[in-house]
Coordinates of all heavy atoms in Angstrom, one line a residue:
M1103 N 68.1 98.6 67.7 CA 67.4 97.7 66.9 C 68.1 96.3 66.9 O 69.2 96.2 66.8 CB 67.3 98.2 65.4 CG 66.6 97.3 64.5 SD 66.4 98.0 62.8 CE 68.0 97.9 62.2
R1104 N 67.3 95.3 67.1 CA 67.8 94.0 67.2 C 67.9 93.4 65.8 O 67.1 93.6 64.9 CB 66.7 93.1 68.0 CG 67.1 91.7 68.2 CD 66.2 91.1 69.2 NE 64.8 91.4 69.1 CZ 63.9 90.6 68.5 NH1 64.2 89.5 68.0 NH2 62.6 91.0 68.4
D1105 N 69.1 92.8 65.5 CA 69.3 92.1 64.2 C 68.2 91.1 63.9 O 67.9 90.3 64.9 CB 70.7 91.5 64.2 CG 71.8 92.5 64.0 OD1 71.5 93.6 63.6 OD2 72.9 92.1 64.3
G1106 N 67.7 91.2 62.8 CA 66.7 90.1 62.4 C 65.2 90.4 62.9 O 64.4 89.7 62.6
A1107 N 65.1 91.5 63.6 CA 63.7 91.9 64.1 C 62.9 92.3 62.9 O 63.3 92.9 61.9 CB 63.8 93.0 65.1
S1108 N 61.6 91.9 63.0 CA 60.7 92.2 61.9 C 59.4 92.6 62.5 O 59.1 92.5 63.7 CB 60.4 91.0 61.0 OG 59.9 89.9 61.8
L1109 N 58.6 93.2 61.7 CA 57.2 93.7 62.0 C 56.2 93.3 60.9 O 56.7 93.1 59.8 CB 57.2 95.2 62.4 CG 57.7 96.1 61.4 CD1 56.7 96.5 60.4 CD2 58.2 97.4 62.1
T1110 N 55.0 93.4 61.2 CA 53.9 93.0 60.2 C 53.0 94.2 60.1 O 52.5 94.8 61.0 CB 53.2 91.8 60.7 OG1 54.1 90.7 60.8 CG2 52.1 91.4 59.7
L1111 N 52.7 94.6 58.9 CA 51.7 95.5 58.5 C 50.8 95.0 57.4 O 51.0 93.9 57.0 CB 52.4 96.9 58.1 CG 53.2 96.9 56.7 CD1 53.3 98.2 56.2 CD2 54.6 96.3 57.0
R1112 N 49.8 95.9 57.1 CA 49.0 95.4 56.0 C 49.0 96.4 54.9 O 48.9 97.7 55.2 CB 47.5 95.3 56.5 CG 47.3 94.1 57.5 CD 46.0 94.1 58.1 NE 44.9 93.9 57.2 CZ 44.4 92.6 57.0 NH1 45.0 91.6 57.6 NH2 43.4 92.4 56.2
I1113 N 49.2 96.0 53.7 CA 49.2 96.9 52.5 C 48.0 96.4 51.6 O 48.0 95.4 51.1 CB 50.5 96.8 51.7 CG1 51.6 97.2 52.6 CG2 50.4 97.6 50.4 CD1 53.0 97.1 51.9
N1114 N 47.0 97.3 51.5 CA 45.8 97.0 50.7 C 45.2 95.7 51.2 O 44.7 94.9 50.4 CB 46.1 97.0 49.3 CG 46.5 98.4 48.7 OD1 46.1 99.4 49.2 ND2 47.4 98.4 47.7
G1115 N 45.2 95.5 52.5 CA 44.6 94.4 53.1 C 45.5 93.1 53.1 O 45.1 92.1 53.8
R1116 N 46.6 93.2 52.5 CA 47.6 92.0 52.5 C 48.6 92.1 53.5 O 49.2 93.2 53.7 CB 48.2 92.0 51.1 CG 49.0 90.7 50.8 CD 49.6 90.7 49.4 NE 50.4 92.0 49.2 CZ 50.9 92.3 48.1 NH1 50.7 91.6 47.0 NH2 51.6 93.4 48.0
V1117 N 48.8 91.1 54.3 CA 49.8 91.1 55.4 C 51.2 91.0 54.8 O 51.5 90.1 53.9 CB 49.5 89.9 56.4 CG1 50.7 89.7 57.4 CG2 48.2 90.0 57.0
V1118 N 52.0 91.9 55.3 CA 53.4 92.0 54.8 C 54.3 92.0 56.0 O 54.1 92.8 56.9 CB 53.6 93.2 53.9 CG1 55.1 93.3 53.4 CG2 52.7 93.2 52.7
T1119 N 55.4 91.3 56.0 CA 56.3 91.3 57.1 C 57.7 91.8 56.6 O 58.2 91.4 55.5 CB 56.6 89.9 57.7 OG1 55.3 89.4 58.2 CG2 57.6 89.9 58.8
V1120 N 58.2 92.9 57.2 CA 59.4 93.6 56.8 C 60.4 93.7 58.0 O 59.9 93.6 59.2 CB 59.0 95.0 56.2 CG1 58.2 94.9 55.0 CG2 58.5 95.9 57.3
P1121 N 61.6 94.0 57.7 CA 62.6 94.2 58.8 C 62.2 95.5 59.5 O 61.7 96.5 58.9 CB 63.9 94.3 58.1 CG 63.7 93.7 56.8 CD 62.3 93.9 56.4
V1122 N 62.5 95.6 60.8 CA 62.3 96.9 61.5 C 63.2 97.9 60.9 O 64.4 97.6 60.6 CB 62.7 96.6 63.1 CG1 62.7 98.0 63.8 CG2 61.7 95.7 63.7
G1123 N 62.6 99.1 60.8 CA 63.4 100.2 60.2 C 63.1 100.4 58.7 O 63.6 101.3 58.1
T1124 N 62.2 99.6 58.1 CA 61.9 99.6 56.8 C 60.9 100.8 56.6 O 60.0 101.0 57.4 CB 61.2 98.4 56.3 OG1 62.1 97.4 56.5 CG2 60.8 98.4 54.8
S1125 N 61.0 101.6 55.5 CA 60.0 102.6 55.2 C 58.8 102.0 54.5 O 58.9 100.9 54.0 CB 60.6 103.7 54.3 OG 60.8 103.2 53.0
V1126 N 57.7 102.8 54.6 CA 56.5 102.2 53.9 C 56.8 102.1 52.4 O 56.3 101.1 51.8 CB 55.3 103.1 54.1 CG1 54.1 102.6 53.3 CG2 55.0 103.0 55.7
A1127 N 57.5 103.0 51.8 CA 57.8 102.9 50.4 C 58.6 101.7 50.1 O 58.4 100.9 49.1 CB 58.5 104.2 49.9
A1128 N 59.6 101.4 51.0 CA 60.3 100.1 50.8 C 59.5 98.9 51.0 O 59.7 97.8 50.3 CB 61.6 100.2 51.7
A1129 N 58.6 99.0 51.9 CA 57.6 97.8 52.1 C 56.8 97.5 50.9 O 56.5 96.4 50.5 CB 56.7 98.1 53.3
L1130 N 56.4 98.6 50.2 CA 55.7 98.5 48.9 C 56.5 97.7 48.0 O 56.0 96.7 47.2 CB 55.3 99.8 48.3 CG 54.1 100.6 49.0 CD1 54.0 102.0 48.4 CD2 52.8 99.8 48.8
A1131 N 57.8 98.1 47.9 CA 58.7 97.4 46.9 C 59.0 95.9 47.4 O 58.9 95.0 46.6 CB 60.0 98.2 46.9
L1132 N 59.2 95.7 48.7 CA 59.4 94.4 49.2 C 58.2 93.5 49.0 O 58.4 92.3 48.7 CB 59.8 94.4 50.7 CG 61.1 94.9 51.0 CD1 61.2 95.2 52.5 CD2 62.2 94.0 50.5
A1133 N 57.0 94.1 49.0 CA 55.8 93.3 48.7 C 55.5 93.0 47.2 O 54.6 92.3 46.8 CB 54.6 94.1 49.3
G1134 N 56.5 93.6 46.4 CA 56.3 93.4 45.0 C 55.4 94.3 44.3 O 55.1 94.1 43.1
D1135 N 55.1 95.4 44.9 CA 54.2 96.4 44.4 C 54.8 97.8 44.5 O 54.9 98.4 45.5 CB 52.9 96.4 45.2 CG 51.8 97.3 44.5 OD1 52.1 97.9 43.5 OD2 50.7 97.3 45.0
F1136 N 55.3 98.3 43.3 CA 56.0 99.6 43.4 C 55.0 100.7 43.1 O 55.4 101.9 43.0 CB 57.0 99.6 42.2 CG 58.2 98.7 42.6 CD1 58.2 97.3 42.1 CD2 59.3 99.1 43.3 CE1 59.3 96.5 42.4 CE2 60.3 98.2 43.6 CZ 60.3 96.9 43.2
V1137 N 53.8 100.4 43.0 CA 52.8 101.5 42.7 C 52.1 101.9 44.0 O 51.7 101.1 44.8 CB 51.6 100.8 41.8 CG1 50.6 101.9 41.5 CG2 52.3 100.4 40.5
S1138 N 52.1 103.3 44.2 CA 51.5 103.8 45.4 C 50.2 104.6 45.1 O 49.4 104.7 45.9 CB 52.5 104.8 46.1 OG 53.0 105.8 45.2
R1139 N 50.0 105.1 43.8 CA 48.9 105.8 43.5 C 48.7 105.8 42.0 O 49.6 105.4 41.2 CB 49.0 107.2 44.1 CG 50.1 108.1 43.5 CD 50.2 109.4 44.1 NE 51.0 110.2 43.3 CZ 50.5 111.1 42.4 NH1 49.2 111.1 42.1 NH2 51.4 111.8 41.6
G1140 N 47.5 106.4 41.6 CA 47.3 106.6 40.1 C 47.2 108.1 39.9 O 46.8 108.9 40.7
D1141 N 47.7 108.4 38.7 CA 47.5 109.9 38.4 C 46.1 110.2 37.9 O 45.3 109.3 37.9 CB 48.6 110.4 37.3 CG 48.5 109.7 36.0 OD1 47.3 109.1 35.7 OD2 49.4 109.9 35.1
L1142 N 45.9 111.4 37.4 CA 44.5 111.7 37.1 C 43.9 111.0 35.9 O 42.8 110.8 35.7 CB 44.4 113.3 36.7 CG 44.7 114.2 38.0 CD1 44.7 115.7 37.5 CD2 43.6 114.0 39.0
G1143 N 44.8 110.4 35.1 CA 44.5 109.6 34.0 C 44.5 108.1 34.3 O 44.2 107.3 33.5
G1144 N 44.7 107.8 35.6 CA 44.7 106.4 36.0 C 45.9 105.6 35.8 O 46.0 104.4 36.1
R1145 N 47.0 106.3 35.4 CA 48.3 105.7 35.1 C 48.9 105.5 36.4 O 48.9 106.3 37.3 CB 49.1 106.5 34.2 CG 48.6 106.5 32.8 CD 49.4 107.6 32.0 NE 49.1 108.9 32.4 CZ 48.7 109.9 31.8 NH1 48.7 109.9 30.5 NH2 48.5 111.1 32.3
P1146 N 49.7 104.3 36.6 CA 50.3 104.1 37.9 C 51.5 105.0 38.2 O 52.3 105.3 37.3 CB 50.8 102.6 37.7 CG 50.9 102.4 36.3 CD 49.9 103.3 35.6
R1147 N 51.6 105.4 39.4 CA 52.7 106.1 39.9 C 53.3 105.5 41.1 O 52.7 104.8 41.8 CB 52.3 107.6 40.3 CG 51.4 108.3 39.2 CD 52.3 108.6 38.0 NE 53.3 109.6 38.3 CZ 54.0 110.2 37.4 NH1 53.7 110.0 36.1 NH2 55.0 111.1 37.7
G1148 N 54.6 105.7 41.4 CA 55.3 105.1 42.5 C 56.5 105.9 43.0 O 56.8 106.8 42.4
P1149 N 56.9 105.5 44.1 CA 58.0 106.2 44.8 C 59.2 106.4 43.8 O 59.6 105.4 43.1 CB 58.5 105.3 45.9 CG 57.2 104.6 46.3 CD 56.5 104.3 45.0
L1150 N 59.7 107.6 43.7 CA 60.7 108.0 42.8 C 62.0 108.4 43.4 O 63.0 107.9 43.2 CB 60.1 109.0 41.8 CG 61.2 109.5 40.7 CD1 61.5 108.4 39.8 CD2 60.6 110.7 39.9
C1151 N 61.9 109.5 44.2 CA 63.0 110.1 44.9 C 63.5 109.3 46.1 O 64.7 109.3 46.5 CB 62.9 111.5 45.1 SG 61.8 111.9 46.4
G1152 N 62.6 108.9 46.9 CA 62.9 108.2 48.1 C 63.3 109.1 49.2 O 63.8 108.7 50.3
M1153 N 63.1 110.4 49.0 CA 63.6 111.5 50.0 C 62.7 112.6 50.2 O 63.1 113.7 50.7 CB 65.0 111.9 49.7 CG 65.1 112.6 48.4 SD 66.9 113.0 48.1 CE 66.7 114.0 46.7
G1154 N 61.3 112.4 49.9 CA 60.3 113.5 50.3 C 60.3 114.6 49.3 O 59.7 115.6 49.6
V1155 N 60.7 114.5 48.1 CA 60.8 115.6 47.1 C 59.7 115.4 46.1 O 59.0 116.4 45.7 CB 62.2 115.7 46.5 CG1 62.1 116.8 45.4 CG2 63.2 116.1 47.6
C1156 N 59.5 114.2 45.5 CA 58.7 114.0 44.3 C 57.2 113.9 44.6 O 56.4 114.1 43.7 CB 59.1 112.9 43.5 SG 58.8 111.2 44.2
F1157 N 56.8 113.5 45.8 CA 55.5 113.3 46.2 C 54.8 112.2 45.5 O 53.5 112.1 45.4 CB 54.6 114.6 46.1 CG 54.9 115.6 47.2 CD1 56.1 116.1 47.4 CD2 54.0 115.9 48.1 CE1 56.5 117.1 48.3 CE2 54.2 116.8 49.2 CZ 55.5 117.4 49.2
E1158 N 55.5 111.3 44.8 CA 54.9 110.3 44.0 C 54.5 109.0 44.9 O 53.9 108.1 44.4 CB 55.8 109.8 42.9 CG 56.1 110.8 41.9 CD 54.8 111.2 41.0 OE1 53.8 110.5 41.2 OE2 55.0 112.0 40.1
C1159 N 54.9 109.1 46.2 CA 54.8 107.9 47.0 C 53.5 108.0 48.0 O 53.4 107.3 48.9 CB 56.0 107.6 47.9 SG 56.4 109.0 48.9
R1160 N 52.7 109.1 47.7 CA 51.6 109.3 48.6 C 50.7 108.2 48.7 O 50.3 107.5 47.7 CB 50.8 110.6 48.2 CG 51.6 111.8 48.4 CD 50.9 113.0 47.7 NE 51.1 112.9 46.3 CZ 50.4 113.7 45.4 NH1 49.4 114.5 45.7 NH2 50.7 113.5 44.1
A1161 N 50.3 107.9 50.0 CA 49.4 106.7 50.3 C 48.6 107.1 51.6 O 49.0 108.1 52.3 CB 50.2 105.5 50.5
T1162 N 47.5 106.4 51.7 CA 46.8 106.5 53.0 C 47.4 105.6 54.0 O 47.4 104.4 53.8 CB 45.3 106.3 52.8 OG1 44.8 107.2 51.8 CG2 44.5 106.4 54.1
I1163 N 47.9 106.1 55.1 CA 48.6 105.4 56.1 C 47.8 105.6 57.5 O 47.7 106.7 58.0 CB 50.0 105.8 56.2 CG1 50.7 105.5 54.9 CG2 50.7 105.0 57.3 CD1 52.2 105.9 54.8
D1164 N 47.3 104.5 58.0 CA 46.5 104.5 59.2 C 45.4 105.6 59.1 O 45.2 106.3 60.1 CB 47.4 104.8 60.5 CG 48.3 103.6 60.8 OD1 47.9 102.5 60.5 OD2 49.4 103.8 61.3
G1165 N 44.8 105.6 58.0 CA 43.6 106.5 57.8 C 43.9 107.9 57.4 O 43.0 108.7 57.2
V1166 N 45.1 108.3 57.4 CA 45.6 109.6 57.0 C 45.9 109.6 55.6 O 46.9 109.0 55.2 CB 46.7 110.1 57.9 CG1 47.1 111.5 57.5 CG2 46.3 110.0 59.4
P1167 N 45.2 110.4 54.7 CA 45.5 110.4 53.3 C 46.7 111.2 52.9 O 47.1 112.2 53.7 CB 44.3 111.0 52.6 CG 43.6 111.8 53.7 CD 44.0 111.2 55.0
E1168 N 47.3 110.9 51.8 CA 48.4 111.8 51.2 C 49.7 111.8 52.0 O 50.4 112.8 52.1 CB 47.9 113.2 51.0 CG 46.7 113.3 50.1 CD 46.9 112.8 48.7 OE1 47.9 113.2 48.1 OE2 45.9 112.3 48.1
V1169 N 50.0 110.7 52.8 CA 51.2 110.6 53.6 C 52.4 110.2 52.6 O 52.2 109.3 51.8 CB 51.0 109.6 54.8 CG1 52.2 109.5 55.5 CG2 49.9 110.1 55.6
L1170 N 53.5 110.8 52.8 CA 54.7 110.3 52.1 C 55.2 109.0 52.6 O 55.7 108.9 53.7 CB 55.8 111.4 52.1 CG 55.4 112.8 51.5 CD1 56.6 113.7 51.5 CD2 54.9 112.6 50.0
A1171 N 55.1 108.0 51.8 CA 55.4 106.6 52.3 C 57.0 106.5 52.5 O 57.4 105.7 53.2 CB 54.9 105.6 51.2
C1172 N 57.7 107.3 51.7 CA 59.2 107.2 51.7 C 59.7 107.8 53.0 O 60.8 107.4 53.4 CB 59.9 107.8 50.5 SG 59.7 109.6 50.5
L1173 N 58.9 108.6 53.7 CA 59.4 109.3 54.9 C 58.7 108.6 56.2 O 58.9 109.2 57.3 CB 59.2 110.8 54.9 CG 59.9 111.5 53.8 CD1 59.6 113.0 53.9 CD2 61.4 111.3 53.8
T1174 N 57.9 107.6 56.0 CA 57.1 107.0 57.0 C 57.7 105.6 57.4 O 57.7 104.8 56.5 CB 55.7 106.9 56.6 OG1 55.2 108.2 56.2 CG2 54.9 106.4 57.8
P1175 N 58.2 105.5 58.6 CA 58.7 104.1 59.0 C 57.5 103.2 59.2 O 56.4 103.6 59.6 CB 59.4 104.4 60.3 CG 58.9 105.7 60.8 CD 58.4 106.5 59.6
C1176 N 57.7 101.9 58.8 CA 56.7 100.9 59.1 C 56.6 100.7 60.6 O 57.6 100.8 61.3 CB 57.1 99.6 58.4 SG 57.1 99.6 56.6
R1177 N 55.4 100.4 61.0 CA 55.2 100.0 62.4 C 54.2 98.8 62.5 O 53.5 98.6 61.5 CB 54.7 101.1 63.3 CG 53.3 101.6 63.0 CD 52.7 102.5 64.1 NE 51.3 102.7 63.7 CZ 50.3 101.8 63.9 NH1 50.6 100.7 64.5 NH2 49.1 102.1 63.6
D1178 N 54.4 98.0 63.6 CA 53.6 96.8 63.7 C 52.1 97.2 63.7 O 51.6 98.2 64.4 CB 53.8 96.1 65.0 CG 53.9 94.6 64.9 OD1 54.0 94.1 63.7 OD2 53.7 94.0 65.9
G1179 N 51.3 96.5 62.9 CA 49.8 96.8 62.8 C 49.4 97.9 61.9 O 48.2 98.3 61.8
Q1180 N 50.3 98.5 61.2 CA 50.1 99.7 60.4 C 49.1 99.2 59.2 O 49.3 98.1 58.7 CB 51.4 100.2 59.8 CG 51.4 101.5 59.3 CD 52.8 102.0 59.0 OE1 53.7 101.2 58.6 NE2 53.1 103.3 59.2
E1181 N 48.3 100.2 58.8 CA 47.4 99.9 57.6 C 47.7 100.9 56.6 O 47.6 102.1 56.7 CB 45.9 100.1 58.0 CG 45.4 99.1 59.0 CD 45.1 97.8 58.4 OE1 44.9 97.7 57.2 OE2 45.0 96.8 59.2
V1182 N 48.1 100.4 55.4 CA 48.5 101.2 54.3 C 47.6 100.9 53.1 O 47.3 99.7 52.8 CB 50.0 100.9 53.9 CG1 50.4 101.7 52.6 CG2 50.9 101.2 55.0
V1183 N 47.0 102.0 52.6 CA 46.1 101.8 51.4 C 46.6 102.7 50.3 O 46.8 103.9 50.5 CB 44.7 102.2 51.8 CG1 43.8 102.1 50.6 CG2 44.2 101.3 52.9
T1184 N 46.8 102.1 49.1 CA 47.2 102.9 48.0 C 45.9 103.0 47.1 O 45.0 102.3 47.2 CB 48.3 102.1 47.1 OG1 47.7 100.9 46.6 CG2 49.5 101.8 48.0
D1185 N 46.0 104.1 46.2 CA 44.8 104.3 45.4 C 45.0 103.9 44.0 O 44.3 104.2 43.0 CB 44.4 105.8 45.5 CG 45.3 106.7 44.7 OD1 46.4 106.3 44.3 OD2 45.0 107.9 44.6
A1186 N 46.1 103.1 43.8 CA 46.4 102.6 42.4 C 45.8 101.3 42.1 O 45.4 100.6 43.1 CB 47.9 102.6 42.1
Ligands
FES2002 S1 59.4 108.9 46.9 FE1 59.6 111.0 46.4 S2 58.5 111.9 48.0 FE2 58.4 109.8 48.6

């Protein structure tokens, strides 16, 4: 990995640039949005454990629903959609 390298993805249609190696969950935080989904009552939920245990970071990534954002590295041109 080259120091200072970055990539660009879209989160809910918004263009976000992050360092290479960033997880999607971290990209949500860097974008200022810690919410990844809503619970059955509509309350906001977001990444909690950061290691694939809590399932609170689920998002639709490149059209695939319920992907764990904390275990998914960002890639250039990625499309992330949250349901919150
Ligand atoms: S943050 Fe807990 S599973 Fe992703």
Side-chain angles (χ1 to χ4, degrees):
M1103 177 172 72
R1104 182 168 43 101
D1105 283 345
S1108 62
L1109 55 82
T1110 300
L1111 67 155
R1112 293 170 68 91
I1113 299 176
N1114 296 327
R1116 188 177 56 188
V1117 174
V1118 177
T1119 300
V1120 299
V1122 169
T1124 301
S1125 71
V1126 172
L1130 285 171
L1132 288 170
D1135 186 357
F1136 291 91
V1137 177
S1138 54
R1139 65 186 195 88
D1141 69 10
L1142 294 176
R1145 291 169 294 227
R1147 310 293 295 193
L1150 179 64
C1151 72
M1153 59 184 192
V1155 175
C1156 72
F1157 285 66
E1158 296 291 1
C1159 64
R1160 288 171 284 168
T1162 299
I1163 300 177
D1164 289 334
V1166 180
E1168 306 292 321
V1169 178
L1170 295 182
C1172 69
L1173 299 183
T1174 305
C1176 294
R1177 67 166 187 78
D1178 218 24
Q1180 197 169 38
E1181 293 281 344
V1182 177
V1183 178
T1184 66
D1185 73 353

